[in-house]
Amino acid sequence: TMRVVLCWQTWQLLFCSSRSPTAYRTISRRFQSSLAMANVKLIDVEQYLKDTIAAVDPSFQLTVSETHRKGMMRALLGISKIKMNEDLRNLSATIEWGKAERFVRQELTGFEPPEGAPQFQDGLEIYESFAPNAAKLFSYLTRGRAYKGQMDQLLQDVRPDLSPIFQEVVDPIDPNDLLEQFALQQDPAQQELLLMCVKKKLVVSSPDSSDSGKSKGAKCESSLKAFLSSEHCEKRVLHNTFITTKHKNALSKKCPYAIQLPKSVDMNGMTTELDALVLAPFDDGDEALTIDEVWEAKATLHPVTLHDALSKKFSAISTIFAQDNAKLFIKGEEYSLQSKGLPSIGVFGSKMLSPHAAARRSQLLVCEAMLSTSPEAVKEALDTGRITVNHEELMTDLNACLHLAQEVKPRVYVASFLD
């Protein structure tokens, strides 16, 4: 009786404000006993997305910052992020090698081989073979017990006057100087706009002092484990289950849980890991198992991360249950998968942006995508320092997320809200 009264009081407390984020929170009956401990809320995700759409500002403008320089240059050149990063790495290596080569020719040629660096003279004779890896060259020159590949220590011992010059050689090139050199290597017809992207004075973004994305993700997965342990104490939960077409003998011992699909299945673009599976109750000796639920953990939930989680998981489970001979491996034991319809999809978030904050985040992401794909948007940004959101594209994205949520009908749980 006391538990029922407490749960009813909690329900009243959560619904006391109909316009605050708590309006989307309800309580899972199966989770009532651990609600106070975990402080986890079930979200009405459809209402959340509708309120996010209602909070959109059609006139939203993004102030262009330092972090957008590379994206704007990519848009003008029409190249991918991977291609540009590769080109910048190659250019940086070429510049660094040029500095190292000049240092070797001007300062080290004729240098008396120091004691404790037996390969120094040999390295000077073949230094060109190390191009463009300057770090590898300097490590080779100073091999031996005395310096252990550390050129700066050798110079401190035998030619301390060269230490400041060597430091300039090994210091990485300034990012904006690298972008300027990159721009000057492009088609002359494009150089003016590219150099404007480099030299235009932009707002300096504050560095992110929070935990890394990988750290946040690990913490969220840990919270999901605790949540499911309480929610499904009577069922078997499998965490970090991999999806593969490999033969069972090729499955790593580090992957105790795996779903094996036929080799004919195209895995291109398909998620290869499920954060958690909840199995229907089964007895020892059963050869076929049923997956009741599939779960995804996201550190911060908003429409973009929700769409990512739902689309990937829905696509994965649709592919899995379209196969007649998919297998589930649990610590080496092989089971068939039997279907009673597609399993439900659950999403667990450590935090969730409020509808107003989610609308702003969505607007920001659309603007950033425009800056890295649209030359017209880049020209607007270079002219005004701002870019106006493409409202039609934004609404298309948000409505796509809403329609997917209506189709999948996920269970979405959140530990806390962010304004």
Side-chain angles (χ1 to χ4, degrees):
T1 303
M2 182 175 294
R3 174 185 291 182
V4 173
V5 172
L6 287 174
C7 289
W8 171 248
Q9 290 175 339
T10 305
W11 187 91
Q12 289 179 310
L13 177 63
L14 291 176
F15 280 84
C16 63
S17 174
S18 60
R19 299 307 301 166
S20 71
T22 55
Y24 317 112
R25 306 174 186 176
T26 62
I27 304 171
S28 167
R29 292 178 181 176
R30 301 170 66 184
F31 195 55
Q32 288 174 351
S33 61
S34 56
L35 178 62
M37 176 189 67
N39 194 33
V40 174
K41 289 87 182 175
L42 175 64
I43 306 302
D44 182 344
V45 68
E46 290 187 32
Q47 187 60 49
Y48 170 78
L49 291 170
K50 289 177 181 177
D51 285 359
T52 298
I53 292 172
V56 165
D57 177 8
S59 61
F60 175 84
Q61 289 188 321
L62 172 68
T63 300
V64 184
S65 72
E66 288 274 357
T67 59
H68 299 126
R69 292 191 192 276
K70 285 172 61 176
M72 292 193 294
M73 295 176 74
R74 290 203 314 271
L76 293 175
L77 293 170
I79 60 177
S80 68
K81 184 176 182 178
I82 293 175
K83 170 63 175 171
M84 183 165 182
N85 286 341
E86 180 184 2
D87 289 348
L88 288 174
R89 282 195 300 271
N90 292 337
L91 177 58
S92 179
T94 300
I95 293 173
E96 290 174 0
W97 177 255
K99 294 192 296 180
E101 188 175 33
R102 286 191 295 272
F103 182 76
V104 170
R105 288 178 175 178
Q106 296 173 9
E107 308 296 348
L108 299 186
T109 301
F111 199 92
E112 183 177 347
E115 295 182 8
Q119 294 178 289
F120 190 88
Q121 189 60 43
D122 179 53
L124 289 181
E125 295 175 0
I126 63 170
Y127 79 89
E128 291 179 337
S129 65
F130 290 92
N133 194 328
K136 189 175 181 179
L137 167 63
F138 291 129
S139 176
Y140 184 88
L141 291 173
T142 51
R143 280 183 180 177
R145 293 182 179 180
Y147 299 108
K148 299 179 180 179
Q150 302 299 315
M151 175 63 78
D152 55 343
Q153 293 184 15
L154 181 147
L155 293 176
Q156 285 289 346
D157 285 351
V158 298
R159 286 290 303 275
D161 58 305
L162 292 180
S163 291
I165 301 175
F166 176 71
Q167 190 59 49
E168 292 180 4
V169 170
V170 297
D171 280 344
I173 185 172
D174 179 81
N176 281 355
D177 290 343
L178 180 62
L179 290 178
E180 183 174 355
Q181 292 297 319
F182 176 77
L184 292 172
Q185 291 189 345
Q186 308 308 313
D187 188 321
Q190 296 179 299
Q191 286 183 11
E192 182 179 357
L193 281 176
L194 290 171
L195 288 171
M196 286 180 65
C197 290
V198 177
K199 297 183 177 182
K200 183 176 179 63
K201 188 175 182 180
L202 300 175
V203 175
V204 177
S205 301
S206 300
D208 186 1
S209 59
S210 60
D211 294 340
S212 69
K214 185 177 291 187
S215 173
K216 290 179 180 178
K219 290 179 180 178
C220 186
E221 288 187 17
S222 178
S223 297
L224 172 61
K225 288 181 181 180
F227 168 72
L228 291 178
S229 294
S230 177
E231 177 87 347
H232 294 297
C233 56
E234 78 286 3
K235 291 185 178 181
R236 181 75 179 271
V237 180
L238 309 182
H239 295 281
N240 304 116
T241 303
F242 288 85
I243 305 172
T244 181
T245 57
K246 293 181 179 179
H247 188 272
K248 63 179 180 180
N249 293 335
L251 296 177
S252 171
K253 293 182 179 179
K254 296 181 180 180
C255 307
Y257 310 125
I259 293 175
Q260 182 193 53
L261 301 178
K263 289 187 176 181
S264 59
V265 174
D266 182 8
M267 295 282 292
N268 185 35
M270 180 176 165
T271 185
T272 57
E273 183 180 6
L274 303 173
D275 289 340
L277 300 179
V278 179
L279 302 178
F282 63 95
D283 299 320
D284 292 340
D286 286 354
E287 297 181 354
L289 304 181
T290 301
I291 299 175
D292 276 351
E293 302 171 15
V294 173
W295 284 84
E296 170 80 352
K298 289 288 185 182
T300 304
L301 288 178
H302 52 79
V304 173
T305 54
L306 274 170
H307 188 274
D308 178 74
L310 297 180
S311 60
K312 287 183 177 179
K313 268 38 186 182
F314 186 65
S315 173
I317 63 174
S318 297
T319 301
I320 291 169
F321 286 94
Q323 314 305 316
D324 294 329
N325 52 349
K327 303 293 184 181
L328 175 63
F329 289 87
I330 303 178
K331 297 182 178 180
E333 295 294 326
E334 179 180 331
Y335 300 89
S336 299
L337 284 176
Q338 59 185 9
S339 175
K340 296 180 180 178
L342 292 182
S344 64
I345 295 179
V347 181
F348 182 92
S350 296
K351 299 175 182 178
M352 188 173 209
L353 298 184
S354 68
H356 180 78
R360 182 174 179 81
R361 175 67 64 86
S362 299
Q363 292 164 167
L364 185 149
L365 292 175
V366 167
C367 285
E368 290 186 335
M370 292 168 60
L371 284 175
S372 61
T373 57
S374 169
E376 291 73 22
V378 172
K379 293 173 184 178
E380 176 190 347
L382 292 174
D383 184 43
T384 66
R386 294 174 175 272
I387 179 175
T388 304
V389 68
N390 184 327
H391 184 65
E392 181 179 351
E393 181 179 342
L394 172 63
M395 296 307 294
T396 297
D397 291 346
L398 290 175
N399 280 309
C401 184
L402 175 60
H403 294 155
L404 181 60
Q406 291 171 334
E407 178 182 6
V408 176
K409 301 187 184 304
R411 297 167 62 202
V412 178
Y413 286 86
V414 177
S416 64
F417 270 81
L418 293 175
D419 292 328

